[in-house]
Amino acid sequence: MADVGNTRARYRRILRFAGFYIIQVWWFELVLPRFGLARYSARGRAARLTHIAQRFHGLAVDLGGLMIKVGQFLSSRLDVLPPEITKELEGLQDEVPAVPFPAIRRLAEAELGMPLEHAYASFDEVPVAAASLGQAHRARLAPVTAADTGLDFVVVKVQRPGIEAIVDVDLAALRRVAGWLNRVRVVSDHVDLPELVEEFAATSFEEIDYLHEAASAERFAESFAGDPRVGVPRVAWERTTRRVLTLEDVTAIKINDVDALRAAGIDPSAVASEFAAVMFDQLFGHGFFHADPHPGNIFVTPAKEGPDAASRPWTLTFVDFGMMGEVPDTLRSGLRDVLLAVAARDGKRLVDSIRGVGILLPSADTAELERAMTQLFARFGGMGFAELRDVDPKEFRDFGREFGDVVRSLPFQLPENFLLIVRAMSLTSGMCSGLDPAFNVWDAVEPYAAQLLRDERGNVAQAFLQEALSIAGVSARLPKRLDSLATRVEDGKVVVETPRLEKRLARLERMGRRILSAVLFAGLFIGGIILRSEDAVWGTVLLAVSVVPLVPALFAGFWSRGR
């Protein structure tokens, strides 16, 4: 990983990488289609995108810092990125070479204000894990601190020296790249990149603030207070600062270690069911959830011998609370509106509720989305969970591909909270399937969906009453509006707007202008070449003048959209 002294070179390297591939995409996706080469461009698109993702994967591993986090973040942005990129990046692991222990010692002692020998009775110099933002070491608290806290063996998480400067550089580079892309109309119409970068920046700053992580650990523990299914490490606040975090050592069986689970007499399929239930409790019950539940962050802890061991033979123990998510009341309310719209199979209402959740950008063409939702209802509306399980997987894939293309063509972006929900559920589903190949996520989610519907049932009657009043109001105003319409028809004041037709006519007009410009360019350019052998001056003049029609031939579409 680059050190702090090379931050400027790091900044330039990120920009060079981004600039090169932005130009490549601009050439193949915008320029070539203007010259009738769209099919040629489309043929190699999947390979190009995969290559870009592979090169970024290598860049991220080489640079470390936020670049690995960027790759992991992008891998879950199914709303704005094609599958060739998200699939290539989903396996990016946050594992980097460890920082030499003397540098870790210096930082930890500066933060704690004392030598490590005074803060801890022992401190393992070899890290348990080394990630892009920090690394963890096993230790044992000094006797006095152990007596005060009730803890003995701990894990000490120490921030990588200089990581704050690297985070600042990486974010500056990302903001610069987002600014470049935001000037391209086709990009800015579909995703708010500057906002996306700020969203990512906020998450990153929280991850490098260990006081925030410690508070999140305690809040998570409070959510499951009295619940024997879940364990959470205690925080040693006396040995915790913004860049050093000391937690109880709760190392046990990794949740995905199936052989170790069976050796301990624990059924992996039971772990899968319990884990899914606990994750759904976080999302639908507590509203505060672990957003990074990968195998390294969850242990299965066998119960100690005693009277409670028979009833609760093991516990799910969560660690690493740097990435947490919340389901705020506004999002819950929005999701309830979405549910009511789906229940009514009302495409327009569904689009309005999706806009209320914050998924649609202001420039969204809602008519296109309404048609997409109508298609969704027509193919799968009314099916229960059991029926959906029986649908041919190929039909799901085909529709997913078609519907995904429509969604990606719209200015559609998942809010941060919703993104973390999707990430958590994706990791949960993958984990449970690994533990139990027969695991079905529908079986796990059905009780929570049923409860949500029961909770909403009391509001359905009120919603129907409001709808009836709305219809009654329209009916009462209808005669007057019909009379007004008839008067306007008689006076010749009715104006019919056909936005789609007007768009097509405008597109044809732009195409005609580009064709004319291209013909003029070709004529002047070829004429200049021919004349140059006879008259160098006039030939050069014609070659220079040919640039004038070339410019509108290439960029007329951008100018028209900018008006």
Side-chain angles (χ1 to χ4, degrees):
M1 188 179 74
D3 59 32
V4 181
N6 292 326
T7 53
R8 182 171 295 181
R10 179 189 184 90
Y11 178 79
R12 287 197 299 264
R13 185 177 174 188
I14 295 170
L15 293 187
R16 279 198 305 271
F17 177 92
F20 177 81
Y21 286 109
I22 287 172
I23 292 172
Q24 184 189 92
V25 171
W26 171 79
W27 176 256
F28 281 100
E29 303 299 331
L30 297 178
V31 175
L32 292 186
R34 292 177 182 279
F35 289 97
L37 297 173
R39 290 186 179 180
Y40 168 76
S41 176
R43 277 201 302 269
R45 180 176 294 122
R48 284 195 308 275
L49 293 175
T50 300
H51 177 70
I52 291 172
Q54 289 171 343
R55 291 296 303 274
F56 181 82
H57 190 290
L59 178 79
V61 171
D62 188 28
L63 290 181
L66 281 190
M67 290 300 102
I68 289 178
K69 296 292 182 183
V70 169
Q72 293 176 329
F73 184 80
L74 293 177
S75 70
S76 58
R77 293 309 307 231
L78 304 178
D79 54 321
V80 296
L81 292 174
E84 291 84 1
I85 291 180
T86 56
K87 183 174 179 61
E88 182 64 33
L89 295 179
E90 66 185 6
L92 190 61
Q93 298 297 314
D94 191 359
E95 296 177 0
V96 297
V99 175
F101 184 70
I104 291 294
R105 173 189 282 274
R106 285 193 298 272
L107 188 147
E109 290 180 345
E111 282 291 303
L112 297 172
M114 66 181 72
L116 285 183
E117 290 77 12
H118 293 173
Y120 303 96
S122 63
F123 197 102
D124 192 346
E125 295 186 7
V126 179
V128 178
S132 57
L133 303 182
Q135 61 189 52
H137 296 256
R138 284 199 173 92
R140 191 172 186 179
L141 290 174
V144 174
T145 309
D148 291 341
T149 61
L151 302 177
D152 189 3
F153 294 96
V154 293
V155 171
V156 184
K157 190 173 176 180
V158 183
Q159 198 176 94
R160 293 182 79 93
I163 193 62
E164 291 177 325
I166 289 175
V167 167
D168 288 340
V169 169
D170 289 356
L171 289 175
L174 292 173
R175 289 185 177 107
R176 184 76 177 272
V177 173
W180 290 346
L181 291 172
N182 206 49
R183 294 176 184 175
V184 181
R185 186 69 178 271
V186 70
V187 174
S188 61
D189 277 353
H190 290 80
V191 59
D192 188 346
L193 275 179
E195 180 62 28
L196 197 64
V197 171
E198 295 310 319
E199 174 182 311
F200 175 70
T203 302
S204 300
F205 284 129
E206 286 183 354
E207 281 203 71
I208 61 174
D209 182 356
Y210 290 167
L211 290 175
H212 182 274
E213 180 174 344
S216 295
E218 291 204 335
R219 180 179 173 185
F220 189 84
E222 289 172 5
S223 297
F224 285 98
D227 189 332
R229 300 174 302 167
V230 177
V232 181
R234 290 173 289 170
V235 179
W237 284 101
E238 293 82 353
R239 294 294 178 261
T240 295
T241 71
R242 197 171 63 83
R243 297 198 290 175
V244 175
L245 173 62
T246 303
L247 294 168
E248 177 184 9
D249 188 354
V250 292
T251 306
I253 303 171
K254 272 192 174 183
I255 190 172
N256 66 338
D257 191 342
V258 174
D259 292 337
L261 290 174
R262 290 197 176 109
I266 299 172
D267 181 7
S269 61
V271 174
S273 298
E274 193 87 307
F275 176 58
V278 167
M279 289 303 299
F280 285 128
D281 278 345
Q282 295 172 45
L283 287 165
F284 297 110
H286 308 149
F288 182 66
F289 63 95
H290 198 298
D292 196 23
H294 64 74
N297 287 341
I298 299 103
F299 295 110
V300 178
T301 306
K304 296 178 181 179
E305 293 184 6
D308 297 331
S311 59
R312 174 54 54 183
W314 49 269
T315 298
L316 290 170
T317 304
F318 288 75
V319 298
D320 194 349
F321 302 92
M323 187 183 293
M324 304 297 291
E326 294 192 55
V327 187
D329 293 340
T330 52
L331 182 57
R332 288 184 185 180
S333 176
L335 292 176
R336 283 197 294 268
D337 291 341
V338 169
L339 178 62
L340 289 172
V342 170
R345 298 181 183 82
D346 187 332
K348 185 179 185 307
R349 182 185 294 180
L350 181 57
V351 170
D352 290 340
S353 59
I354 289 174
R355 190 187 295 278
V357 172
I359 293 176
L360 286 175
L361 296 179
S363 57
D365 181 355
T366 56
E368 290 293 331
L369 187 55
E370 285 174 23
R371 278 190 285 274
M373 293 302 178
T374 300
Q375 184 184 7
L376 173 67
F377 291 140
R379 291 183 67 171
F380 301 112
M383 291 186 178
F385 291 131
E387 293 170 295
L388 285 173
R389 284 200 297 267
D390 296 332
V391 172
D392 183 1
K394 184 177 183 301
E395 185 180 0
F396 268 134
R397 285 196 300 271
D398 291 343
F399 178 77
R401 189 178 300 110
E402 297 169 13
F403 189 71
D405 289 342
V406 172
V407 167
R408 277 190 290 273
S409 71
L410 296 171
F412 178 90
Q413 177 173 300
L414 294 178
E416 168 69 7
N417 289 316
F418 206 84
L419 166 67
L420 292 178
I421 292 172
V422 172
R423 173 182 172 80
M425 287 299 93
S426 175
L427 289 172
T428 299
S429 179
M431 182 94 73
C432 292
S433 298
L435 288 167
D436 179 10
F439 177 80
N440 193 320
V441 71
W442 293 109
D443 293 333
V445 78
E446 196 164 10
Y448 296 92
Q451 181 60 49
L452 182 57
L453 287 171
R454 284 194 295 271
D455 293 342
E456 287 299 324
R457 195 168 292 154
N459 297 327
V460 169
Q462 183 179 356
F464 279 133
L465 178 59
Q466 291 176 349
E467 189 70 19
L469 291 173
S470 176
I471 293 172
V474 171
S475 301
R477 294 191 299 271
L478 187 58
K480 184 177 180 179
R481 297 182 69 181
L482 287 173
D483 182 64
S484 174
L485 176 61
T487 302
R488 293 176 68 188
V489 170
E490 291 173 358
D491 294 342
K493 295 181 179 179
V494 174
V495 178
V496 178
E497 294 183 358
T498 56
R500 291 181 64 83
L501 179 59
E502 289 170 4
K503 287 182 180 179
R504 292 192 178 188
L505 288 174
R507 194 178 300 122
L508 287 173
E509 182 183 357
R510 292 196 300 269
M511 187 182 298
R513 286 199 299 268
R514 289 200 296 272
I515 292 172
L516 177 59
S517 298
V519 170
L520 286 173
F521 162 73
L524 291 170
F525 187 78
I526 294 171
I529 292 174
I530 294 173
L531 282 176
R532 200 172 183 196
S533 61
E534 301 289 334
D535 189 330
V537 175
W538 278 109
T540 303
V541 169
L542 287 178
L543 286 173
V545 172
S546 69
V547 176
V548 176
L550 174 63
V551 173
L554 288 176
F555 301 104
F558 284 111
W559 291 340
S560 299
R561 284 195 295 271
R563 292 174 183 172

